[in-house]
Amino acid sequence: MKTHDLLAIGLMTFALFLGAGNLIFPPSLGLEAGTNLLPAMVGFLITAVGLPALTLVVLGRLSSTQNLTNPLPKWLARAFWILLFTAIGPAFGMPRAITVAYEIGIKPFVNSNHLLLFSIIFSAVTLLLAFKPGHLVDYIGKIMTPLLILMLVALACAAIFSPLAVPQAPSFDYQQDAITHGLIQGYMTMDAIAAVGFGWVIIQAINAKGITEPRAVANTACKVAIIYAVLMTGCYVAMGYVGATSASVAANATNGGEILAKYVAGQFGIYGQWLLATIIVMACLTTTVGLTNACAEYYKQTFKTRFPVTAIIVVTLTGIIANLGLEQILAVSLPAILVLCPIAIALVLSSFVLPPLSLSNKKERSFTHVMVLFTALFFGGIDALNILEKTPDNIHSLLLQVLPLYNAHASWLLPCLLILGVSYLKAIKKPLPVDMIN
């Protein structure tokens, strides 16, 4: 693959992940971490960038995103993909992108509620860009992303060379366990589940450049993951530093969006507000275009539906649900996202630890993946109840004492790793059949 094509796919991948949530998390972390920004950011990057990058590498090694769930029974695999694309698509991810783009990018400049009009225009532009999936790399990777990066660089340079304040003492959470708290915040971006969905778009973009041989696809996906990781790390560090140096103007801010808004207003005035609005709207647009393509591509490959028909349905549902409001969207869809995230990561870990030939018996491999999935489902459900603060106090206190990583919202991790470890040790002790070796 030519260098400029590889770079374009890498830029497209960065833009697909760079939604409004990715811009809002780091400033909040930076403001709270203060002088402990460095260790907090290290933890944040491990889970917020490391997990998605690992997912992209694993999907590239599988050479087809659908191979991630091939060991599962067909009904279970399809249920997983349908739930995933429904959650990150029209039920939650895409409507949230529209509402966040409106709340931060448009609402500060208008006096009345124009969400309906904005959602119609935003959905129409999303559909227009999504209708030609073959040009997605050109639209996003070669045009929109460089502009987005330039705007982010302008914001970062202002924070570095003309900071509004110096980092303050860290808040209570970041005084002792800055790295651990950063790990939790990075995990909560849930970009790992987005990586599973975006894998359909990225693998297709690689194939469209004539790269179809499995090893070549794996190598290219690894390079794309590196480009994504470098760019996203730079973005997170810059936005984290913006938050850390914003105490003088955003000391009482309640979320990252408010921190960014106050920072750019203090740094650039009205021009900064327009800059932030443009960044947020473009970031959300690249995300909705990518998710539309991912959803439509899955249904096209699995159920042979026409790409334009699926794209229209997805975007129409997104526009309708966006007008319900962000709070209602979160209340209904967040529990499903919180449960799906550990399942998706567990399946990625299964494919990473247990490559196709590591278990000679197909039924044995299927059993292992099913066990990992339902283990992640069970313990992920416990974590979801904890995050949503729905666990009874007495049970919560008990789980804090007996369940490892419960307080880090990752109680599913060790049980899944235990299953994979036992399966791996069992597999390497068993010689492969002659027909599989040949």
Side-chain angles (χ1 to χ4, degrees):
M1 179 182 291
K2 296 179 180 178
T3 302
H4 66 86
D5 287 331
L6 176 64
L7 183 60
I9 295 176
L11 290 172
M12 179 195 73
T13 302
F14 165 72
L16 293 180
F17 279 95
L18 189 65
N22 304 84
L23 293 172
I24 289 172
F25 266 99
S28 181
L29 178 143
L31 181 61
E32 291 188 42
T35 53
N36 278 346
L37 174 63
L38 181 58
M41 185 56 66
V42 169
F44 183 84
L45 293 174
I46 290 173
T47 46
V49 178
L51 283 178
L54 174 64
T55 300
L56 295 178
V57 171
V58 170
L59 294 177
R61 189 170 67 169
L62 295 174
S63 73
S64 171
T65 306
Q66 204 154 14
N67 287 338
L68 184 69
T69 54
N70 272 354
L72 300 174
K74 179 180 275 189
W75 69 269
L76 189 57
R78 287 191 173 179
F80 167 77
W81 285 116
I82 291 172
L83 286 173
L84 183 141
F85 281 119
T86 300
I88 67 174
F92 175 72
M94 292 173 63
R96 185 186 69 166
I98 292 178
T99 53
V100 169
Y102 176 77
E103 290 289 333
I104 300 178
I106 303 298
K107 192 175 180 179
F109 304 100
V110 296
N111 296 321
S112 55
N113 188 354
H114 296 288
L115 177 59
L116 177 60
L117 176 61
F118 176 78
S119 63
I120 292 173
I121 296 173
F122 197 94
S123 297
V125 175
T126 296
L127 199 58
L128 181 65
L129 295 176
F131 262 157
K132 295 182 178 180
H135 296 283
L136 194 62
V137 174
D138 294 326
Y139 291 146
I140 297 179
K142 296 181 180 179
I143 300 173
M144 297 176 70
T145 310
L147 292 174
L148 187 57
I149 291 175
L150 285 175
M151 288 184 285
L152 290 172
V153 167
L155 186 57
C157 287
I160 294 171
F161 296 109
S162 181
L164 295 179
V166 296
Q168 305 296 303
S171 66
F172 176 78
D173 288 331
Y174 291 92
Q175 288 176 3
Q176 299 293 333
D177 300 309
I179 291 181
T180 301
H181 207 69
L183 285 167
I184 296 172
Q185 292 301 308
Y187 173 72
M188 291 301 294
T189 64
M190 298 184 190
D191 271 359
I193 191 174
V196 175
F198 286 141
W200 292 82
V201 178
I202 296 164
I203 298 298
Q204 183 196 38
I206 293 173
N207 293 339
K209 297 300 180 182
I211 309 297
T212 56
E213 195 272 324
R215 180 168 295 183
V217 171
N219 290 336
T220 304
C222 185
K223 294 175 183 177
V224 168
I226 292 172
I227 295 172
Y228 150 78
V230 170
L231 291 173
M232 191 60 79
T233 296
C235 175
Y236 280 149
V237 171
M239 293 302 101
Y241 189 72
V242 165
T245 57
S246 63
S248 62
V249 294
N252 298 318
T254 57
N255 59 69
E258 189 178 348
I259 294 171
L260 275 179
K262 290 183 176 181
Y263 190 91
V264 297
Q267 189 73 265
F268 300 106
I270 186 63
Y271 299 106
Q273 292 178 294
W274 281 107
L275 174 65
L276 178 62
T278 305
I279 291 173
I280 293 296
V281 171
M282 285 187 65
C284 291
L285 181 61
T286 55
T287 298
T288 56
V289 172
L291 288 172
T292 300
N293 274 267
C295 292
E297 190 62 33
Y298 167 72
Y299 282 98
K300 176 184 175 182
Q301 291 188 20
T302 306
F303 301 105
K304 309 304 179 185
T305 59
R306 294 179 59 208
F307 186 99
V309 173
T310 306
I312 291 173
I313 294 173
V314 168
V315 173
T316 301
L317 288 173
T318 296
I320 293 172
I321 294 174
N323 282 273
L324 297 177
L326 186 58
E327 290 186 6
Q328 287 77 8
I329 294 170
L330 288 171
V332 174
S333 302
L334 187 57
I337 292 286
L338 292 174
V339 174
L340 278 170
C341 190
I343 293 175
I345 299 173
L347 289 175
V348 170
L349 290 175
S350 299
S351 297
F352 181 73
V353 175
L354 304 173
L357 294 182
S358 65
L359 294 178
S360 57
N361 188 302
K362 185 177 180 181
K363 289 185 178 180
E364 185 179 350
R365 184 165 183 256
S366 178
F367 175 77
T368 300
H369 279 70
V370 170
M371 281 289 294
V372 168
L373 185 149
F374 281 105
T375 300
L377 174 62
F378 176 75
F379 288 100
I382 293 175
D383 289 330
L385 291 175
N386 181 23
I387 294 169
L388 297 169
E389 300 181 347
K390 299 295 184 181
T391 308
D393 291 340
N394 57 335
I395 297 177
H396 176 72
S397 300
L398 177 64
L399 292 174
L400 279 173
Q401 298 176 19
V402 302
L403 194 57
L405 300 180
Y406 172 74
N407 202 36
H409 311 310
S411 60
W412 59 272
L413 181 59
L414 291 182
C416 288
L417 290 178
L418 178 62
I419 295 172
L420 291 174
V422 171
S423 298
Y424 180 78
L425 292 175
K426 185 178 179 181
I428 61 176
K429 291 180 180 180
K430 186 183 299 183
L432 292 174
V434 175
D435 59 335
M436 292 187 73
I437 297 175
N438 296 331

